[in-house]
């Protein structure tokens, strides 16, 4: 069976759905037959639980903070690395059957895939205060005066953010987990990837310690294959 080289789903919910299939399908008999140590299988389950919990917090507007967003990114990074290890180490030797591959959630590579064009739109973001402490709403859309969007190539928005203390971050602040900015960004290159979304409005929540600092937000369009286009303008606002 020929498996697509890009077999890890992009949406985090789909990553969890695939891993859940693995955990349910690889019961004791298959685990032993495929030579999967119990400790490895248990670790995969623990990483799944951690990523699932982080995603639930990140999707809850009342709980979501910048720290939780970073924790969620890291949890999925570790889980996906473990899933890649499992596939390469335990799913190839001995070769699995077509039924096994299907049960594990792998899709057969389409010999005639529909081409997905690169993103060619330019997005814009504006910021407003929705009320409540340490919250800012990002409004996403096409930059005024740009061409009509192709929903296939300009599928959604990749959002990038950065926070700058008054006067710019110190070296210690810049090296912290939040990577505070030392100077205002010219574009999105110096900002941290926050999330992908197809929504036109995203509520951003921050820590009390960020109050009074300047938030910078920039986005670019992303197509269905995860390829990003050009940067839109940078927007900024003071975190309340």
């Amino acid at each position: 069976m020929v498996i697509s080289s890009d077999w890890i789903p992009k949406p985090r919910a789909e990553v969890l759905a695939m891993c859940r299939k693995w955990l349910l399908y690889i019961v004791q008999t298959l685990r032993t037959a495929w030579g999967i140590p119990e400790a490895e299988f248990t670790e995969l389950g623990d990483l799944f639980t951690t990523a699932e919990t982080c995603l639930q917090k990140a999707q809850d507007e009342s709980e979501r903070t910048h720290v939780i967003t970073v924790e969620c990114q890291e949890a999925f990074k570790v889980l996906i690395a473990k899933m890649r290890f499992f596939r390469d180490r335990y799913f190839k030797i001995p070769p699995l059957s077509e039924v096994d591959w299907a049960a594990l959630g792998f899709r057969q590579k389409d010999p005639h895939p529909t081409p997905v064009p690169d993103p060619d739109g330019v997005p814009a973001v504006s910021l407003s205060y929705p009320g409540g402490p340490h919250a800012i709403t990002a409004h996403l859309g096409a930059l005024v005066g740009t061409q009509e969007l192709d929903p296939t190539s300009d599928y959604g928005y990749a959002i990038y953010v950065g926070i700058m203390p008054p006067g710019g971050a110190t070296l210690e602040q810049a090296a912290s987990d939040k990577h505070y900015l030392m100077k205002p960004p010219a574009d999105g290159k110096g900002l941290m990837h926050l999330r992908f979304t197809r929504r036109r409005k995203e509520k951003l929540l921050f820590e009390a310690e960020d109050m009074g600092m300047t938030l910078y937000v920039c986005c670019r369009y992303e197509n269905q294959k995860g390829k990003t286009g050009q940067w839109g303008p940078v927007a900024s606002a003071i975190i309340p």
Side-chain angles (χ1 to χ4, degrees):
M1 182 176 185
V2 179
I3 303 298
S4 170
S5 58
D6 187 22
W7 57 271
I8 287 285
K10 188 166 184 62
R12 288 170 174 168
E14 293 183 17
V15 173
L16 291 177
M18 172 177 268
C19 190
R20 186 182 292 108
K21 286 182 179 179
W22 292 15
L23 294 170
L24 293 175
Y25 190 68
I26 307 172
V27 290
Q28 177 66 29
T29 301
L30 289 179
R31 185 181 67 75
T32 302
W34 293 355
I36 302 174
E38 182 177 359
E40 292 281 6
F41 185 72
T42 299
E43 183 180 359
L44 179 65
D46 291 342
L47 294 176
F48 167 83
T49 301
T50 299
E52 185 179 44
T53 301
C54 286
L55 183 60
Q56 290 172 350
K57 290 182 179 180
Q59 291 176 333
D60 186 343
E61 290 192 354
S62 66
E63 274 195 87
R64 187 172 63 213
T65 64
H66 183 66
V67 172
I68 288 175
T69 298
V70 173
E71 288 177 348
C72 188
Q73 291 173 346
E74 183 62 23
F76 274 86
K77 179 181 177 181
V78 175
L79 175 62
I80 289 172
K82 193 66 174 180
M83 291 173 69
R84 292 190 186 281
F85 170 80
F86 257 67
R87 178 183 179 273
D88 293 340
R89 180 70 177 270
Y90 303 120
F91 296 171
K92 292 182 177 180
I93 301 175
L96 306 189
S97 68
E98 296 271 350
V99 173
D100 291 329
W101 284 112
L104 293 170
F106 291 101
R107 294 189 297 269
Q108 188 171 4
K109 189 173 183 179
D110 185 355
H112 305 291
T114 302
V116 176
D118 293 346
D120 57 5
V122 182
V125 56
S126 61
L127 305 175
S128 68
Y129 297 103
H134 326 312
I136 292 178
T137 296
H139 304 268
L140 308 169
L143 185 65
V144 175
T146 56
Q147 63 187 30
E148 184 177 352
L149 301 180
D150 179 343
T152 304
S153 59
D154 304 312
Y155 183 68
Y157 304 92
I159 304 174
Y160 298 77
V161 301
I163 301 172
M164 189 179 76
T170 64
L171 289 174
E172 183 179 1
Q173 288 175 316
S176 69
D177 292 340
K178 291 189 176 182
H179 301 288
Y180 287 113
L181 300 173
M182 301 181 72
K183 62 181 181 179
D187 53 32
K189 292 179 182 177
L191 304 180
M192 294 177 60
H193 180 262
L194 178 65
R195 69 177 73 105
F196 169 84
T197 184
R198 298 198 67 202
R199 294 182 290 193
R200 299 290 296 273
K201 184 169 70 173
E202 284 284 325
K203 187 175 182 180
L204 312 178
L205 299 177
F206 300 92
E207 303 287 339
E209 64 186 12
D210 300 326
M211 184 174 60
M213 297 186 184
T214 303
L215 168 70
Y216 293 93
V217 182
C218 189
C219 61
R220 50 185 177 176
Y221 282 112
E222 185 172 316
N223 68 13
Q224 291 176 312
K225 290 187 175 293
K227 188 168 184 179
T228 50
Q230 59 183 307
W231 295 107
V234 178
S236 64
I238 302 298
I239 298 173

